[in-house]
Amino acid sequence: SNRYKLIYYSLQKNFAHLNNYYYFCCLKLSKNKQDNIVFFKKNLMNKLLTYTIKSKVNKRIVDFQNSIEKPYESQELVLKSLIETAVKTKWGKIYDYKSISNSEIFSNRIAIQDYNSLKNLITLSLKGEKNVLWPGRIKWFAKSSGTTSDKSKFIPISKSSLEDCHYKAGKDLIAVHYNNYPDSKVSKGNGLALGGSHEINKSNKKSKIGDLSAILLQNLPLWSKLWQEPSTRTSLMSDWEQKIIHMTEEVMNKNITHISGVPTWTVVLINNILKVSQKEKITDLWPNLELYVHGGVSFEPYRKMFKELIPNPDMIYMETYNASEGFFGIQDQKNSKDLLLLIDHGIYYEFIPVNEIENETPKVLKLSEVELNKNYAIVISTNAGLWRYVIGDTLKFTSLKPFRFRLTGRTKNFINAFGEEVIIENAEKAISEACSVTNAEITDYTAAPIFFSNNNNGTHEWIIEFKKNPDNENLFKETLDKSLQNANSDYEAKRYKDIALSPPIIHFVPKGTFYNWMKKRGKLGGQHKVPRLFNSRKYVEDIKVLLGLK
């Protein structure tokens, strides 16, 4: 951006004498001038980066603190800006944004939305139409797991959401880190980012579709890529098997000081690096590694494993809540897992009490109306044109001054241990197809993840009871697995060549199993339902104990 260009050129001018000195040394002292010029530029840029970070951290922390101390005013200003910006869009004209002067009118006029209700307008944007939900033409769409009727969702990513939400939050993350750890040396080395891939939109070649991480990496300013590993070309490879090989080759011998990425793929990469290098600990290769920024799935199942892979007692683990729809929270305290709600990043928040979520006209609360330790579904209006959009996640606030929270789950049953986001609709469809193919009839089922352990991949474990058993159990397993891949692009990506997820394990259990288990738990009766999908293993393990399964 122009801002970064100005910073860079002003700093370059201030360090002109240093520039000339390095260049002189390169010419005088080395036979291989090209290598030394690269060396000099890298060293100069490291000094520039360190200088820039330290000069900017204090200012951003002050601005950051001001927004935290005035949350309601900040949110009203965000909403006002969103409405004024979208006045001339198709959506803004439909709802007469010109006449919306406050949050009450806004919430009374516009109903709660989900992907299905916005799908037709998003499709227009995908086809290249301008000024639909947000001004201008949307060039990027983040692909995520779909709804009941669609394999994938395509979330619009505007230039505003990139700059004023995702990247702004990224800069806040760096500021918070340096504020908490003033002696941090993350800028002294390279950052390893594990991203996805993107592709040209077949219906409109002017736009691209891909994982959010790939979109963020693709659009990073040029200067920041000097410290980013692996290369952009490798980062955006779509074949994960080849990608892991190339990433290993590129980063194995670099000075990596910080990592960002979903735990699932980070574990896969680190294990491959250790295998190739024949090292036991990643700190043998990266002794200066000090920070891991993670998000996307719960980190708790991975915490012990990471401590074994990275045996550094001072290693810093920083959680973020960064979704396709926006960057919502960061872990800002050293000794707390609570996330700070980011309230001046182009997102206006509303909240639905979880017990209201199924109501046709649910009660919707503003930030000023929420209470501590109550479960809420999150509703957002964003600078990418998502209006009063229910994203499907639930949270509870652990603090109101400032607003800190913990994620509590999804509005529906799900498994999201590895970023696969398998929801109940996916499971029901897969079971139905598997039963149809194998002439089976199902009674009950539940499923949970098996987490990574001892270099083994993760997987899903199912316990299924039948009224009529499948004619062919192996075919049932294969059909269920394939159907889940067809229904859910995130699960399909994790199952690709068994790199992250192995084929599911399915236990075909005797009739009466779920009745006996519910009876044992004192949960018999119409008001008690068998939990279908769960991110925790407590139900699966309980049933296995009942049946004597290992």
Side-chain angles (χ1 to χ4, degrees):
S1 69
N2 290 333
R3 176 168 47 177
Y4 287 120
K5 289 177 183 177
L6 288 172
I7 292 171
Y8 170 74
Y9 287 123
S10 65
L11 287 173
Q12 191 177 50
K13 183 177 179 180
N14 291 335
F15 282 86
H17 65 284
L18 191 60
N19 186 330
N20 293 333
Y21 173 73
Y22 272 114
Y23 188 73
F24 175 79
C25 290
C26 290
L27 294 177
K28 285 288 186 182
L29 300 178
S30 174
K31 294 179 181 179
N32 190 339
K33 298 176 184 177
Q34 188 65 35
D35 286 349
N36 275 282
I37 289 172
V38 171
F39 169 81
F40 125 71
K41 286 187 175 180
K42 192 75 171 181
N43 278 272
L44 174 63
M45 291 303 289
N46 276 332
K47 291 180 182 294
L48 292 176
L49 178 65
T50 302
Y51 179 86
T52 303
I53 288 174
K54 289 182 177 179
S55 66
K56 292 294 180 182
V57 162
N58 290 336
K59 182 181 183 304
R60 183 52 201 157
I61 285 294
V62 171
D63 295 341
F64 193 58
Q65 195 64 35
N66 287 338
S67 69
I68 291 170
E69 291 174 357
K70 299 179 180 179
Y72 311 130
E73 294 90 335
S74 294
Q75 278 285 277
E76 290 297 327
L77 287 173
V78 166
L79 180 60
K80 181 181 178 182
S81 175
L82 293 175
I83 291 171
E84 289 177 351
T85 305
V87 163
K88 295 183 180 180
T89 63
K90 183 183 289 288
W91 179 272
K93 291 175 181 177
I94 291 172
Y95 289 99
D96 190 18
Y97 270 24
K98 276 187 179 180
S99 66
I100 296 179
S101 57
N102 57 52
S103 56
E104 284 73 22
I105 296 173
F106 175 74
S107 58
N108 288 333
R109 186 171 298 178
I110 300 167
I112 295 297
Q113 308 291 318
D114 60 15
Y115 187 79
N116 286 331
S117 64
L118 293 178
K119 180 182 173 182
N120 289 339
L121 292 174
I122 291 174
T123 301
L124 290 180
S125 293
L126 271 167
K127 292 179 178 179
E129 187 168 328
K130 295 181 180 179
N131 305 320
V132 181
L133 290 162
W134 192 252
R137 178 183 287 116
I138 302 295
K139 295 180 180 179
W140 292 92
F141 293 84
K143 183 179 178 181
S144 66
S145 59
T147 62
T148 306
S149 56
D150 295 289
K151 180 176 178 178
S152 299
K153 293 185 292 190
F154 302 99
I155 305 300
I157 306 291
S158 68
K159 184 177 180 180
S160 297
S161 64
L162 277 175
E163 294 292 340
D164 299 328
C165 182
H166 292 286
Y167 292 152
K168 182 178 180 180
K171 286 179 277 188
D172 288 338
L173 186 151
I174 294 171
V176 166
H177 174 71
Y178 270 93
N179 189 58
N180 288 338
Y181 304 93
D183 298 326
S184 173
K185 296 180 180 179
V186 293
S187 65
K188 299 291 186 181
N190 291 3
L192 170 59
L194 284 79
S197 60
H198 63 68
E199 61 189 18
I200 298 294
N201 178 7
K202 293 177 182 178
S203 63
N204 169 32
K205 294 183 179 180
K206 292 183 179 180
S207 65
K208 293 183 180 180
I209 294 167
D211 298 335
L212 173 67
S213 56
I215 295 171
L216 296 179
L217 286 171
Q218 179 72 48
N219 289 280
L220 280 172
L222 181 61
W223 66 268
S224 68
K225 294 181 182 180
L226 293 172
W227 293 274
Q228 198 76 47
E229 298 292 346
S231 63
T232 302
R233 181 178 179 182
T234 296
S235 292
L236 299 177
M237 289 177 67
S238 58
D239 186 325
W240 271 97
E241 195 170 45
Q242 289 299 312
K243 186 173 187 171
I244 292 296
I245 293 171
H246 282 267
M247 289 183 77
T248 299
E249 292 174 352
E250 289 186 27
V251 306
M252 190 165 60
N253 297 313
K254 295 292 179 66
N255 178 27
I256 302 297
T257 59
H258 53 291
I259 304 173
S260 60
V262 176
T264 314
W265 293 116
T266 306
V267 168
V268 171
L269 176 62
I270 290 178
N271 281 331
N272 193 65
I273 290 173
L274 293 175
K275 179 181 177 181
V276 172
S277 65
Q278 297 184 333
K279 301 288 186 181
E280 290 188 6
K281 306 289 190 298
I282 200 65
T283 46
D284 294 337
L285 291 168
W286 301 334
N288 298 315
L289 181 62
E290 66 169 82
L291 172 66
Y292 176 47
V293 179
H294 59 88
V297 298
S298 172
F299 189 62
E300 290 310 308
Y302 299 92
R303 195 173 294 277
K304 182 179 178 182
M305 186 185 312
F306 269 81
K307 287 183 177 181
E308 293 172 354
L309 291 171
I310 310 172
N312 175 5
D314 298 321
M315 185 70 183
I316 301 162
Y317 296 93
M318 192 174 187
E319 185 172 358
T320 65
Y321 180 20
N322 187 13
S324 300
E325 295 85 357
F327 204 136
F328 307 125
I330 58 175
Q331 186 179 339
D332 69 315
Q333 298 173 298
K334 288 184 179 181
N335 301 314
S336 174
K337 298 174 186 175
D338 296 347
L339 300 179
L340 180 73
L341 187 68
L342 301 178
I343 56 178
D344 68 336
H345 293 66
I347 297 173
Y348 179 73
Y349 296 98
E350 297 173 275
F351 303 91
I352 301 175
V354 167
N355 59 359
E356 293 263 346
I357 195 68
E358 297 297 333
N359 293 348
E360 188 173 340
T361 55
K363 182 179 181 181
V364 185
L365 307 176
K366 295 194 296 184
L367 190 63
S368 59
E369 299 173 310
V370 299
E371 300 177 42
L372 287 175
N373 299 315
K374 291 191 175 182
N375 263 334
Y376 297 106
I378 307 167
V379 182
I380 57 172
S381 298
T382 78
N383 51 6
L386 298 177
W387 300 102
R388 305 200 81 203
Y389 183 87
V390 179
I391 61 176
D393 290 333
T394 60
L395 58 72
K396 66 177 179 181
F397 287 100
T398 56
S399 167
L400 301 182
K401 292 182 179 180
F403 284 94
R404 292 194 178 97
F405 64 93
R406 291 193 179 186
L407 291 170
T408 55
R410 298 281 291 175
T411 55
K412 299 179 180 180
N413 288 342
F414 73 106
I415 297 177
N416 189 33
F418 312 97
E420 68 276 46
E421 296 188 18
V422 172
I423 58 177
I424 192 70
E425 287 88 346
N426 302 153
E428 299 284 6
K429 182 177 181 181
I431 287 176
S432 177
E433 289 187 11
C435 283
S436 177
V437 169
T438 60
N439 196 30
E441 294 180 43
I442 195 169
T443 302
D444 267 318
Y445 73 93
T446 192
I450 295 178
F451 299 103
F452 289 133
S453 63
N454 300 323
N455 293 327
N456 292 324
N457 285 358
T459 188
H460 290 175
E461 185 172 22
W462 296 70
I463 295 177
I464 304 179
E465 179 182 333
F466 294 89
K467 181 179 179 181
K468 184 178 184 300
N469 288 342
D471 294 336
N472 185 322
E473 290 184 354
N474 287 332
L475 179 59
F476 184 95
K477 292 179 183 179
E478 293 170 5
T479 305
L480 185 143
D481 182 34
K482 191 64 178 177
S483 179
L484 280 176
Q485 293 184 52
N486 291 336
N488 184 314
S489 57
D490 287 331
Y491 178 83
E492 181 182 41
K494 304 303 182 296
R495 282 284 295 116
Y496 179 71
K497 294 190 177 181
D498 298 349
I499 294 176
L501 280 180
S502 296
I505 296 170
I506 300 179
H507 302 287
F508 299 84
V509 299
K511 292 178 181 178
T513 293
F514 281 92
Y515 177 89
N516 294 331
W517 177 61
M518 295 290 280
K519 181 179 179 180
K520 172 177 171 283
R521 297 171 61 233
K523 299 291 184 181
L524 290 179
Q527 72 274 26
H528 298 295
K529 298 179 181 179
V530 173
R532 296 303 193 199
L533 305 180
F534 233 76
N535 240 20
S536 165
R537 289 190 52 77
K538 63 179 181 178
Y539 294 135
V540 163
E541 291 295 345
D542 199 20
I543 297 172
K544 289 175 71 175
V545 169
L546 179 68
L547 296 173
L549 296 173
K550 293 184 178 180

